[in-house]
Amino acid sequence: MSEPAAYPDPVLYVYQAHRRYKEGKEGTLDILRGASLAVWAGQSVALVAPSGTGKSTLLHLAGLLERPDAGEVYVSSRPTVGLADNERTAIRRLEIGFVYQSHHLLPEFTALENVMAPQLIRGLGRAEARERAANLLSYLGIGERLRHRPAELSGGEQQRVAIARAVANAPRILLADEPTGNLDPHTSSHVFDTLTTLAKQTGLAAVVATHNLELAARMDRRVTLREGEVVELP
Ligand code: ADP
Ligand code: MG
């Protein structure tokens, strides 16, 4: 596994994770069977695998939205599986940002307000939250769209607002589940570049599930899922 020398410990370390779902009355579906993935600060990893192989499941475990049936998930070297729900939620809020395939922005809020919201929830003052939101949106190339509501933005702009919102509280980990799945190739490419540049420049550890091999090729690493395990791709 490629380990940047400057960062000895991975920010995210999914270790030997198992996840099974019940199927019908008796059957079970072993989706993850000892999946391990370590991601270092400033590194972007593409998770490229066919539908139904467990990409979302792996991201949910990594994001502390679900617990593995066995194995461990370390966030900043801290084991999280045995923690109480409220502690897991606190880590998720502080250290992890999510971007989904559809933007999930609040429709009645402007772009600026959507990016301010998580900061206000965390207790930051309005002025500070507004300034950080405006800076982030400008950095992501939508500084001219601060007052637009989601419906008044293009798909690519909406996803960039969603990325800004995900990193508004300066998490250490960014998890994106097919974030460009609904976008045209040109826009996808732009959103991807935004995301990887952001990861690099702010020292984020990013994992992005995608079907797009061309975009995956631009990230630092590529991994896939094979028989429930994470396999590094060349
Ligand atoms: P991917 O994101 O790679 O398409 P998922 O992680 O969403 O794959 O799902 C992997 C498999 O697990 C799929 O076959 C899916 O139907 C099944 N699965 C996912 N979540 C659940 C659940 N909550 N209950 C039962 N089966 C699930
Ligand atoms: Mg999925």
Side-chain angles (χ1 to χ4, degrees):
M1 219 170 271
S2 47
E3 174 178 348
Y7 304 106
D9 297 318
V11 177
L12 170 67
Y13 187 16
V14 178
Y15 177 71
Q16 298 264 310
H18 290 253
R19 190 78 175 100
R20 79 171 16 155
Y21 293 114
K22 286 199 171 32
E23 194 188 39
K25 277 221 167 88
E26 268 119 62
T28 55
L29 215 51
D30 285 303
I31 299 304
L32 299 180
R33 296 182 244 170
S36 295
L37 175 66
V39 188
W40 281 265
Q43 195 175 59
S44 55
V45 179
L47 175 56
V48 192
S51 267
T53 49
K55 298 182 299 298
S56 296
T57 301
L58 182 65
L59 292 177
H60 290 161
L61 297 183
L64 314 192
L65 291 165
E66 286 179 45
R67 280 189 175 83
D69 299 310
E72 188 52 89
V73 177
Y74 299 90
V75 174
S76 304
S77 303
R78 184 178 182 197
T80 60
V81 170
L83 295 177
D85 287 342
N86 63 333
E87 291 177 290
R88 287 166 58 85
T89 302
I91 294 175
R92 188 165 63 239
R93 286 214 184 115
L94 287 174
E95 305 212 35
I96 303 170
F98 280 95
V99 181
Y100 298 95
Q101 183 164 356
S102 37
H103 57 76
H104 295 304
L105 296 171
L106 298 167
E108 70 280 20
F109 281 17
T110 65
L112 191 73
E113 289 164 344
N114 267 284
V115 182
M116 286 171 68
Q119 302 178 76
L120 297 175
I121 289 167
R122 204 187 143 183
L124 216 68
R126 281 197 84 78
E128 215 176 325
R130 179 178 289 114
E131 189 184 347
R132 181 166 165 80
N135 285 342
L136 260 174
L137 288 165
S138 301
Y139 176 81
L140 297 179
I142 29 180
E144 312 291 305
R145 301 281 187 279
L146 301 183
R147 312 279 165 200
H148 290 230
R149 292 197 165 75
E152 299 158 354
L153 296 167
S154 71
E157 289 167 347
Q158 289 167 350
Q159 276 309 60
R160 280 183 280 153
V161 177
I163 292 169
R165 180 186 53 180
V167 300
N169 284 330
R172 303 195 68 202
I173 298 169
L174 181 64
L175 303 171
D177 199 350
E178 307 195 30
T180 62
N182 290 333
L183 304 177
D184 65 75
H186 179 75
T187 310
S188 293
S189 169
H190 189 135
V191 169
F192 241 75
D193 286 343
T194 302
L195 212 151
T196 46
T197 308
L198 185 73
K200 191 111 303 176
Q201 296 196 340
T202 62
L204 272 169
V207 184
V208 183
T210 180
H211 285 291
N212 192 322
L213 291 169
E214 207 177 304
L215 296 178
R218 295 198 219 150
M219 303 189 72
D220 295 324
R221 286 166 56 202
R222 282 145 295 285
V223 299
T224 190
L225 284 163
R226 230 169 257 160
E227 294 175 7
E229 293 185 21
V230 177
V231 178
E232 203 82 21
L233 293 170

